[in-house]
Amino acid sequence: MSDNNKLARRPVALVTGGQRGIGAAIVRRLAQDGFDVAFTCRTPEDIAHELCAEIEMQGGRGLVLASDLQDLDAHAELVENVVAWGGGLDCLINNAGIGSPSRGDLLDMQPSAFNLVIDTNLRGTFFLTQAVARRMLQLPSVHHRSIVNVSSVSVEMASPERGEYCMSKAGLGMATKLFALRLATEGIGVFEVRPGVIKTDMTAGVAEKYERRFQEGLVPMQRWGETSDIASIVSALASGQFGFATGTVIHADGGLAIPRL
Ligand code: NDP
């Protein structure tokens, strides 16, 4: 690939769930690091348009797209919209996800809650990744290509009161390995970032409980994770600096998942 081709367009990233929380921090950081960034959410709010305006003020390009991850039929159109806008697609960040609708006894978990969380976090993410990977393979490789899955410490740490979430993230951990193997010969690196407890809307309802548990030593680094902690890791992975790594898991949890005596 010539340097002229590289200069012809900036790398293009698609971030799911990018208008708030960890996703918004990833959108911001990728834009700062030179990506044109398209991002999805279920229903764009003012904050999504403000984020695009902020990126454009800084000389970048941002695009918000309403797209429900659960709606598999919508994925092909989403991918085409991003390619048409960006002129390519080099990076997918699978960030969108939901927590368990309610916490409770595993023995009382309802099939509706199981389906909702699995359909969003695992089924939706798997099939969007499949659609993006297929499209990437049809496009010329201009920049480093990568897929980054934002999973959770819940891949390996069991919380029986929100089992559907843990199972969805454990499945995402395996999906990372499967896509890493399938795409290794294509030069597409596939990575997993496993956040611990991060300060966002998702944890707002249980913030007091976590504050107490931090004081009891739950997190060795003794603090909340910030959305920027995750975004900087994702951007480094997306930038192509880890050229011989794939299927790699980065723990971003202040030491939470380290087994202790
Ligand atoms: P938030 O609840 O703050 O944001 C979630 C984002 O995902 C929102 O933008 C939301 O869209 C989007 N989303 C949810 N469902 C869908 C859907 N069906 N289709 C499209 N977009 C959807 O969550 P966080 O920022 O806290 O979490 C981001 C990711 O990080 C999740 O995958 C989560 O599991 C993971 N994580 C979070 C941790 C934490 O402590 N916060 C810890 C470990 C992992 P909309 O804006 O329209 O609502």
Side-chain angles (χ1 to χ4, degrees), residues 199-230:
K199 206 166 208 166
T200 69
D201 290 352
M202 187 179 272
T203 47
V206 283
E208 271 183 33
K209 183 191 100 174
Y210 278 125
E211 296 280 359
R212 262 198 321 277
R213 297 202 61 194
F214 293 161
Q215 282 168 17
E216 292 161 8
L218 177 71
V219 175
M221 287 193 188
Q222 295 185 319
R223 69 165 174 89
W224 284 92
E226 301 293 338
T227 57
S228 56
D229 290 322
I230 308 305

PDB file of all heavy atoms in Angstrom, residues 199-230:
ATOM      1  N   LYS A 199     -17.389   4.274  36.196  1.00  0.00           N
ATOM      2  CA  LYS A 199     -18.418   5.259  36.563  1.00  0.00           C
ATOM      3  C   LYS A 199     -19.212   5.684  35.327  1.00  0.00           C
ATOM      4  O   LYS A 199     -18.722   6.473  34.504  1.00  0.00           O
ATOM      5  CB  LYS A 199     -17.738   6.480  37.186  1.00  0.00           C
ATOM      6  CG  LYS A 199     -18.608   7.227  38.116  1.00  0.00           C
ATOM      7  CD  LYS A 199     -17.803   8.197  38.955  1.00  0.00           C
ATOM      8  CE  LYS A 199     -18.530   8.406  40.270  1.00  0.00           C
ATOM      9  NZ  LYS A 199     -17.756   9.028  41.279  1.00  0.00           N
ATOM     10  N   THR A 200     -20.393   5.138  35.140  1.00  0.00           N
ATOM     11  CA  THR A 200     -21.273   5.506  34.009  1.00  0.00           C
ATOM     12  C   THR A 200     -22.726   5.371  34.474  1.00  0.00           C
ATOM     13  O   THR A 200     -22.996   4.951  35.601  1.00  0.00           O
ATOM     14  CB  THR A 200     -21.090   4.554  32.796  1.00  0.00           C
ATOM     15  OG1 THR A 200     -21.602   3.256  33.144  1.00  0.00           O
ATOM     16  CG2 THR A 200     -19.653   4.448  32.357  1.00  0.00           C
ATOM     17  N   ASP A 201     -23.655   5.652  33.557  1.00  0.00           N
ATOM     18  CA  ASP A 201     -25.081   5.474  33.869  1.00  0.00           C
ATOM     19  C   ASP A 201     -25.363   4.035  34.298  1.00  0.00           C
ATOM     20  O   ASP A 201     -26.236   3.788  35.131  1.00  0.00           O
ATOM     21  CB  ASP A 201     -25.943   5.760  32.620  1.00  0.00           C
ATOM     22  CG  ASP A 201     -25.939   7.236  32.253  1.00  0.00           C
ATOM     23  OD1 ASP A 201     -25.408   8.040  33.054  1.00  0.00           O
ATOM     24  OD2 ASP A 201     -26.450   7.575  31.168  1.00  0.00           O
ATOM     25  N   MET A 202     -24.612   3.079  33.710  1.00  0.00           N
ATOM     26  CA  MET A 202     -24.893   1.675  33.996  1.00  0.00           C
ATOM     27  C   MET A 202     -24.674   1.333  35.471  1.00  0.00           C
ATOM     28  O   MET A 202     -25.363   0.488  36.032  1.00  0.00           O
ATOM     29  CB  MET A 202     -24.024   0.767  33.111  1.00  0.00           C
ATOM     30  CG  MET A 202     -24.357  -0.696  33.215  1.00  0.00           C
ATOM     31  SD  MET A 202     -23.347  -1.723  32.136  1.00  0.00           S
ATOM     32  CE  MET A 202     -24.286  -1.685  30.637  1.00  0.00           C
ATOM     33  N   THR A 203     -23.709   1.996  36.109  1.00  0.00           N
ATOM     34  CA  THR A 203     -23.393   1.695  37.510  1.00  0.00           C
ATOM     35  C   THR A 203     -23.966   2.731  38.478  1.00  0.00           C
ATOM     36  O   THR A 203     -23.788   2.596  39.689  1.00  0.00           O
ATOM     37  CB  THR A 203     -21.860   1.606  37.702  1.00  0.00           C
ATOM     38  OG1 THR A 203     -21.254   2.729  37.058  1.00  0.00           O
ATOM     39  CG2 THR A 203     -21.289   0.327  37.125  1.00  0.00           C
ATOM     40  N   ALA A 204     -24.663   3.752  37.921  1.00  0.00           N
ATOM     41  CA  ALA A 204     -25.160   4.842  38.776  1.00  0.00           C
ATOM     42  C   ALA A 204     -26.102   4.313  39.862  1.00  0.00           C
ATOM     43  O   ALA A 204     -26.047   4.750  41.016  1.00  0.00           O
ATOM     44  CB  ALA A 204     -25.863   5.903  37.933  1.00  0.00           C
ATOM     45  N   GLY A 205     -26.946   3.341  39.508  1.00  0.00           N
ATOM     46  CA  GLY A 205     -27.924   2.829  40.462  1.00  0.00           C
ATOM     47  C   GLY A 205     -27.323   2.023  41.599  1.00  0.00           C
ATOM     48  O   GLY A 205     -27.980   1.814  42.627  1.00  0.00           O
ATOM     49  N   VAL A 206     -26.098   1.550  41.428  1.00  0.00           N
ATOM     50  CA  VAL A 206     -25.453   0.740  42.477  1.00  0.00           C
ATOM     51  C   VAL A 206     -24.163   1.400  42.972  1.00  0.00           C
ATOM     52  O   VAL A 206     -23.302   0.758  43.559  1.00  0.00           O
ATOM     53  CB  VAL A 206     -25.161  -0.703  41.965  1.00  0.00           C
ATOM     54  CG1 VAL A 206     -26.416  -1.545  41.946  1.00  0.00           C
ATOM     55  CG2 VAL A 206     -24.517  -0.699  40.584  1.00  0.00           C
ATOM     56  N   ALA A 207     -24.080   2.728  42.741  1.00  0.00           N
ATOM     57  CA  ALA A 207     -22.847   3.446  43.077  1.00  0.00           C
ATOM     58  C   ALA A 207     -22.522   3.366  44.566  1.00  0.00           C
ATOM     59  O   ALA A 207     -21.375   3.134  44.953  1.00  0.00           O
ATOM     60  CB  ALA A 207     -22.960   4.907  42.633  1.00  0.00           C
ATOM     61  N   GLU A 208     -23.544   3.520  45.412  1.00  0.00           N
ATOM     62  CA  GLU A 208     -23.289   3.499  46.864  1.00  0.00           C
ATOM     63  C   GLU A 208     -22.756   2.151  47.305  1.00  0.00           C
ATOM     64  O   GLU A 208     -21.832   2.058  48.109  1.00  0.00           O
ATOM     65  CB  GLU A 208     -24.580   3.806  47.622  1.00  0.00           C
ATOM     66  CG  GLU A 208     -24.768   5.270  47.862  1.00  0.00           C
ATOM     67  CD  GLU A 208     -26.020   5.554  48.675  1.00  0.00           C
ATOM     68  OE1 GLU A 208     -26.376   4.736  49.539  1.00  0.00           O
ATOM     69  OE2 GLU A 208     -26.641   6.599  48.404  1.00  0.00           O
ATOM     70  N   LYS A 209     -23.351   1.098  46.745  1.00  0.00           N
ATOM     71  CA  LYS A 209     -22.899  -0.258  47.090  1.00  0.00           C
ATOM     72  C   LYS A 209     -21.423  -0.424  46.712  1.00  0.00           C
ATOM     73  O   LYS A 209     -20.623  -0.943  47.495  1.00  0.00           O
ATOM     74  CB  LYS A 209     -23.755  -1.291  46.346  1.00  0.00           C
ATOM     75  CG  LYS A 209     -23.414  -2.728  46.696  1.00  0.00           C
ATOM     76  CD  LYS A 209     -24.061  -3.726  45.781  1.00  0.00           C
ATOM     77  CE  LYS A 209     -23.081  -4.207  44.734  1.00  0.00           C
ATOM     78  NZ  LYS A 209     -23.543  -5.273  43.874  1.00  0.00           N
ATOM     79  N   TYR A 210     -21.073   0.059  45.518  1.00  0.00           N
ATOM     80  CA  TYR A 210     -19.672  -0.089  45.098  1.00  0.00           C
ATOM     81  C   TYR A 210     -18.745   0.758  45.963  1.00  0.00           C
ATOM     82  O   TYR A 210     -17.648   0.312  46.306  1.00  0.00           O
ATOM     83  CB  TYR A 210     -19.504   0.243  43.614  1.00  0.00           C
ATOM     84  CG  TYR A 210     -19.881  -0.938  42.727  1.00  0.00           C
ATOM     85  CD1 TYR A 210     -20.836  -0.815  41.729  1.00  0.00           C
ATOM     86  CD2 TYR A 210     -19.270  -2.183  42.893  1.00  0.00           C
ATOM     87  CE1 TYR A 210     -21.185  -1.892  40.924  1.00  0.00           C
ATOM     88  CE2 TYR A 210     -19.610  -3.263  42.098  1.00  0.00           C
ATOM     89  CZ  TYR A 210     -20.568  -3.115  41.112  1.00  0.00           C
ATOM     90  OH  TYR A 210     -20.907  -4.188  40.332  1.00  0.00           O
ATOM     91  N   GLU A 211     -19.185   1.978  46.320  1.00  0.00           N
ATOM     92  CA  GLU A 211     -18.340   2.828  47.193  1.00  0.00           C
ATOM     93  C   GLU A 211     -17.979   2.055  48.465  1.00  0.00           C
ATOM     94  O   GLU A 211     -16.841   2.052  48.910  1.00  0.00           O
ATOM     95  CB  GLU A 211     -19.068   4.131  47.582  1.00  0.00           C
ATOM     96  CG  GLU A 211     -19.390   5.078  46.440  1.00  0.00           C
ATOM     97  CD  GLU A 211     -18.184   5.912  46.018  1.00  0.00           C
ATOM     98  OE1 GLU A 211     -17.122   5.762  46.618  1.00  0.00           O
ATOM     99  OE2 GLU A 211     -18.343   6.691  45.049  1.00  0.00           O
ATOM    100  N   ARG A 212     -19.017   1.406  49.038  1.00  0.00           N
ATOM    101  CA  ARG A 212     -18.776   0.625  50.272  1.00  0.00           C
ATOM    102  C   ARG A 212     -17.786  -0.495  50.004  1.00  0.00           C
ATOM    103  O   ARG A 212     -16.856  -0.721  50.769  1.00  0.00           O
ATOM    104  CB  ARG A 212     -20.101   0.026  50.763  1.00  0.00           C
ATOM    105  CG  ARG A 212     -20.782   0.800  51.866  1.00  0.00           C
ATOM    106  CD  ARG A 212     -21.829  -0.032  52.605  1.00  0.00           C
ATOM    107  NE  ARG A 212     -22.622  -0.903  51.763  1.00  0.00           N
ATOM    108  CZ  ARG A 212     -23.710  -0.528  51.074  1.00  0.00           C
ATOM    109  NH1 ARG A 212     -24.096   0.730  51.125  1.00  0.00           N
ATOM    110  NH2 ARG A 212     -24.394  -1.403  50.356  1.00  0.00           N
ATOM    111  N   ARG A 213     -17.991  -1.174  48.896  1.00  0.00           N
ATOM    112  CA  ARG A 213     -17.138  -2.331  48.601  1.00  0.00           C
ATOM    113  C   ARG A 213     -15.703  -1.908  48.265  1.00  0.00           C
ATOM    114  O   ARG A 213     -14.757  -2.645  48.512  1.00  0.00           O
ATOM    115  CB  ARG A 213     -17.756  -3.180  47.509  1.00  0.00           C
ATOM    116  CG  ARG A 213     -19.108  -3.769  47.972  1.00  0.00           C
ATOM    117  CD  ARG A 213     -19.512  -4.977  47.203  1.00  0.00           C
ATOM    118  NE  ARG A 213     -18.566  -6.073  47.332  1.00  0.00           N
ATOM    119  CZ  ARG A 213     -18.566  -7.131  46.535  1.00  0.00           C
ATOM    120  NH1 ARG A 213     -19.456  -7.242  45.579  1.00  0.00           N
ATOM    121  NH2 ARG A 213     -17.676  -8.095  46.698  1.00  0.00           N
ATOM    122  N   PHE A 214     -15.537  -0.705  47.697  1.00  0.00           N
ATOM    123  CA  PHE A 214     -14.162  -0.214  47.447  1.00  0.00           C
ATOM    124  C   PHE A 214     -13.438  -0.060  48.784  1.00  0.00           C
ATOM    125  O   PHE A 214     -12.276  -0.399  48.922  1.00  0.00           O
ATOM    126  CB  PHE A 214     -14.166   1.144  46.729  1.00  0.00           C
ATOM    127  CG  PHE A 214     -14.691   1.099  45.311  1.00  0.00           C
ATOM    128  CD1 PHE A 214     -15.122   2.255  44.688  1.00  0.00           C
ATOM    129  CD2 PHE A 214     -14.748  -0.087  44.591  1.00  0.00           C
ATOM    130  CE1 PHE A 214     -15.608   2.237  43.381  1.00  0.00           C
ATOM    131  CE2 PHE A 214     -15.239  -0.116  43.290  1.00  0.00           C
ATOM    132  CZ  PHE A 214     -15.671   1.046  42.690  1.00  0.00           C
ATOM    133  N   GLN A 215     -14.192   0.480  49.774  1.00  0.00           N
ATOM    134  CA  GLN A 215     -13.582   0.684  51.094  1.00  0.00           C
ATOM    135  C   GLN A 215     -13.208  -0.657  51.736  1.00  0.00           C
ATOM    136  O   GLN A 215     -12.275  -0.738  52.519  1.00  0.00           O
ATOM    137  CB  GLN A 215     -14.523   1.465  52.004  1.00  0.00           C
ATOM    138  CG  GLN A 215     -14.509   2.944  51.667  1.00  0.00           C
ATOM    139  CD  GLN A 215     -15.627   3.713  52.352  1.00  0.00           C
ATOM    140  OE1 GLN A 215     -16.228   3.236  53.316  1.00  0.00           O
ATOM    141  NE2 GLN A 215     -15.903   4.896  51.844  1.00  0.00           N
ATOM    142  N   GLU A 216     -13.957  -1.696  51.381  1.00  0.00           N
ATOM    143  CA  GLU A 216     -13.649  -3.030  51.925  1.00  0.00           C
ATOM    144  C   GLU A 216     -12.530  -3.729  51.145  1.00  0.00           C
ATOM    145  O   GLU A 216     -12.159  -4.853  51.442  1.00  0.00           O
ATOM    146  CB  GLU A 216     -14.904  -3.915  51.859  1.00  0.00           C
ATOM    147  CG  GLU A 216     -16.030  -3.480  52.794  1.00  0.00           C
ATOM    148  CD  GLU A 216     -17.395  -4.057  52.392  1.00  0.00           C
ATOM    149  OE1 GLU A 216     -17.436  -4.921  51.478  1.00  0.00           O
ATOM    150  OE2 GLU A 216     -18.401  -3.639  52.976  1.00  0.00           O
ATOM    151  N   GLY A 217     -12.017  -3.060  50.084  1.00  0.00           N
ATOM    152  CA  GLY A 217     -10.876  -3.623  49.364  1.00  0.00           C
ATOM    153  C   GLY A 217     -11.214  -4.371  48.083  1.00  0.00           C
ATOM    154  O   GLY A 217     -10.370  -5.104  47.553  1.00  0.00           O
ATOM    155  N   LEU A 218     -12.434  -4.173  47.563  1.00  0.00           N
ATOM    156  CA  LEU A 218     -12.833  -4.907  46.352  1.00  0.00           C
ATOM    157  C   LEU A 218     -11.860  -4.693  45.197  1.00  0.00           C
ATOM    158  O   LEU A 218     -11.468  -5.639  44.520  1.00  0.00           O
ATOM    159  CB  LEU A 218     -14.243  -4.450  45.929  1.00  0.00           C
ATOM    160  CG  LEU A 218     -14.790  -5.060  44.637  1.00  0.00           C
ATOM    161  CD1 LEU A 218     -15.136  -6.533  44.841  1.00  0.00           C
ATOM    162  CD2 LEU A 218     -16.035  -4.304  44.146  1.00  0.00           C
ATOM    163  N   VAL A 219     -11.472  -3.421  45.009  1.00  0.00           N
ATOM    164  CA  VAL A 219     -10.596  -3.087  43.871  1.00  0.00           C
ATOM    165  C   VAL A 219      -9.216  -2.709  44.411  1.00  0.00           C
ATOM    166  O   VAL A 219      -9.084  -1.720  45.137  1.00  0.00           O
ATOM    167  CB  VAL A 219     -11.188  -1.904  43.065  1.00  0.00           C
ATOM    168  CG1 VAL A 219     -10.238  -1.475  41.958  1.00  0.00           C
ATOM    169  CG2 VAL A 219     -12.550  -2.283  42.500  1.00  0.00           C
ATOM    170  N   PRO A 220      -8.171  -3.476  44.059  1.00  0.00           N
ATOM    171  CA  PRO A 220      -6.838  -3.174  44.598  1.00  0.00           C
ATOM    172  C   PRO A 220      -6.401  -1.724  44.377  1.00  0.00           C
ATOM    173  O   PRO A 220      -5.750  -1.136  45.226  1.00  0.00           O
ATOM    174  CB  PRO A 220      -5.938  -4.176  43.859  1.00  0.00           C
ATOM    175  CG  PRO A 220      -6.845  -5.359  43.641  1.00  0.00           C
ATOM    176  CD  PRO A 220      -8.194  -4.773  43.345  1.00  0.00           C
ATOM    177  N   MET A 221      -6.760  -1.114  43.247  1.00  0.00           N
ATOM    178  CA  MET A 221      -6.362   0.287  43.014  1.00  0.00           C
ATOM    179  C   MET A 221      -7.236   1.279  43.772  1.00  0.00           C
ATOM    180  O   MET A 221      -6.992   2.492  43.720  1.00  0.00           O
ATOM    181  CB  MET A 221      -6.362   0.626  41.520  1.00  0.00           C
ATOM    182  CG  MET A 221      -5.204   0.012  40.771  1.00  0.00           C
ATOM    183  SD  MET A 221      -5.050   0.758  39.129  1.00  0.00           S
ATOM    184  CE  MET A 221      -3.801  -0.322  38.420  1.00  0.00           C
ATOM    185  N   GLN A 222      -8.276   0.768  44.442  1.00  0.00           N
ATOM    186  CA  GLN A 222      -9.114   1.570  45.350  1.00  0.00           C
ATOM    187  C   GLN A 222      -9.741   2.788  44.704  1.00  0.00           C
ATOM    188  O   GLN A 222      -9.769   3.870  45.300  1.00  0.00           O
ATOM    189  CB  GLN A 222      -8.286   2.013  46.567  1.00  0.00           C
ATOM    190  CG  GLN A 222      -7.845   0.845  47.413  1.00  0.00           C
ATOM    191  CD  GLN A 222      -7.135   1.302  48.673  1.00  0.00           C
ATOM    192  OE1 GLN A 222      -6.350   2.230  48.640  1.00  0.00           O
ATOM    193  NE2 GLN A 222      -7.402   0.632  49.767  1.00  0.00           N
ATOM    194  N   ARG A 223     -10.237   2.626  43.483  1.00  0.00           N
ATOM    195  CA  ARG A 223     -10.958   3.743  42.863  1.00  0.00           C
ATOM    196  C   ARG A 223     -11.879   3.219  41.773  1.00  0.00           C
ATOM    197  O   ARG A 223     -11.748   2.083  41.308  1.00  0.00           O
ATOM    198  CB  ARG A 223      -9.976   4.765  42.282  1.00  0.00           C
ATOM    199  CG  ARG A 223      -9.187   4.296  41.044  1.00  0.00           C
ATOM    200  CD  ARG A 223      -8.548   5.510  40.353  1.00  0.00           C
ATOM    201  NE  ARG A 223      -7.656   5.171  39.248  1.00  0.00           N
ATOM    202  CZ  ARG A 223      -8.049   5.028  37.982  1.00  0.00           C
ATOM    203  NH1 ARG A 223      -9.313   5.138  37.648  1.00  0.00           N
ATOM    204  NH2 ARG A 223      -7.154   4.759  37.027  1.00  0.00           N
ATOM    205  N   TRP A 224     -12.819   4.104  41.381  1.00  0.00           N
ATOM    206  CA  TRP A 224     -13.646   3.833  40.222  1.00  0.00           C
ATOM    207  C   TRP A 224     -12.777   3.828  38.975  1.00  0.00           C
ATOM    208  O   TRP A 224     -11.799   4.585  38.896  1.00  0.00           O
ATOM    209  CB  TRP A 224     -14.667   4.961  40.025  1.00  0.00           C
ATOM    210  CG  TRP A 224     -15.814   4.941  40.967  1.00  0.00           C
ATOM    211  CD1 TRP A 224     -15.888   5.588  42.165  1.00  0.00           C
ATOM    212  CD2 TRP A 224     -17.060   4.272  40.775  1.00  0.00           C
ATOM    213  NE1 TRP A 224     -17.116   5.360  42.735  1.00  0.00           N
ATOM    214  CE2 TRP A 224     -17.857   4.557  41.902  1.00  0.00           C
ATOM    215  CE3 TRP A 224     -17.594   3.466  39.768  1.00  0.00           C
ATOM    216  CZ2 TRP A 224     -19.149   4.050  42.052  1.00  0.00           C
ATOM    217  CZ3 TRP A 224     -18.860   2.972  39.908  1.00  0.00           C
ATOM    218  CH2 TRP A 224     -19.631   3.248  41.044  1.00  0.00           C
ATOM    219  N   GLY A 225     -13.141   3.049  37.991  1.00  0.00           N
ATOM    220  CA  GLY A 225     -12.550   3.236  36.672  1.00  0.00           C
ATOM    221  C   GLY A 225     -13.237   4.404  35.998  1.00  0.00           C
ATOM    222  O   GLY A 225     -14.432   4.638  36.200  1.00  0.00           O
ATOM    223  N   GLU A 226     -12.486   5.157  35.238  1.00  0.00           N
ATOM    224  CA  GLU A 226     -13.045   6.272  34.462  1.00  0.00           C
ATOM    225  C   GLU A 226     -13.240   5.801  33.019  1.00  0.00           C
ATOM    226  O   GLU A 226     -12.505   4.923  32.544  1.00  0.00           O
ATOM    227  CB  GLU A 226     -12.097   7.480  34.483  1.00  0.00           C
ATOM    228  CG  GLU A 226     -11.785   8.015  35.875  1.00  0.00           C
ATOM    229  CD  GLU A 226     -13.004   8.636  36.555  1.00  0.00           C
ATOM    230  OE1 GLU A 226     -13.949   9.031  35.856  1.00  0.00           O
ATOM    231  OE2 GLU A 226     -13.004   8.698  37.802  1.00  0.00           O
ATOM    232  N   THR A 227     -14.187   6.418  32.335  1.00  0.00           N
ATOM    233  CA  THR A 227     -14.420   6.013  30.943  1.00  0.00           C
ATOM    234  C   THR A 227     -13.156   6.219  30.095  1.00  0.00           C
ATOM    235  O   THR A 227     -12.876   5.445  29.181  1.00  0.00           O
ATOM    236  CB  THR A 227     -15.599   6.798  30.337  1.00  0.00           C
ATOM    237  OG1 THR A 227     -15.327   8.200  30.439  1.00  0.00           O
ATOM    238  CG2 THR A 227     -16.902   6.491  31.063  1.00  0.00           C
ATOM    239  N   SER A 228     -12.383   7.247  30.453  1.00  0.00           N
ATOM    240  CA  SER A 228     -11.147   7.519  29.694  1.00  0.00           C
ATOM    241  C   SER A 228     -10.111   6.397  29.888  1.00  0.00           C
ATOM    242  O   SER A 228      -9.260   6.187  29.016  1.00  0.00           O
ATOM    243  CB  SER A 228     -10.550   8.861  30.111  1.00  0.00           C
ATOM    244  OG  SER A 228     -10.321   8.860  31.507  1.00  0.00           O
ATOM    245  N   ASP A 229     -10.181   5.681  31.025  1.00  0.00           N
ATOM    246  CA  ASP A 229      -9.260   4.548  31.245  1.00  0.00           C
ATOM    247  C   ASP A 229      -9.476   3.483  30.171  1.00  0.00           C
ATOM    248  O   ASP A 229      -8.530   2.847  29.706  1.00  0.00           O
ATOM    249  CB  ASP A 229      -9.512   3.892  32.623  1.00  0.00           C
ATOM    250  CG  ASP A 229      -9.092   4.773  33.788  1.00  0.00           C
ATOM    251  OD1 ASP A 229      -8.056   5.462  33.668  1.00  0.00           O
ATOM    252  OD2 ASP A 229      -9.802   4.764  34.819  1.00  0.00           O
ATOM    253  N   ILE A 230     -10.733   3.280  29.815  1.00  0.00           N
ATOM    254  CA  ILE A 230     -11.052   2.251  28.809  1.00  0.00           C
ATOM    255  C   ILE A 230     -10.748   2.782  27.409  1.00  0.00           C
ATOM    256  O   ILE A 230     -10.170   2.082  26.562  1.00  0.00           O
ATOM    257  CB  ILE A 230     -12.538   1.834  28.911  1.00  0.00           C
ATOM    258  CG1 ILE A 230     -12.908   1.449  30.358  1.00  0.00           C
ATOM    259  CG2 ILE A 230     -12.844   0.695  27.943  1.00  0.00           C
ATOM    260  CD1 ILE A 230     -12.052   0.370  30.977  1.00  0.00           C
TER     261      ILE A 230
END
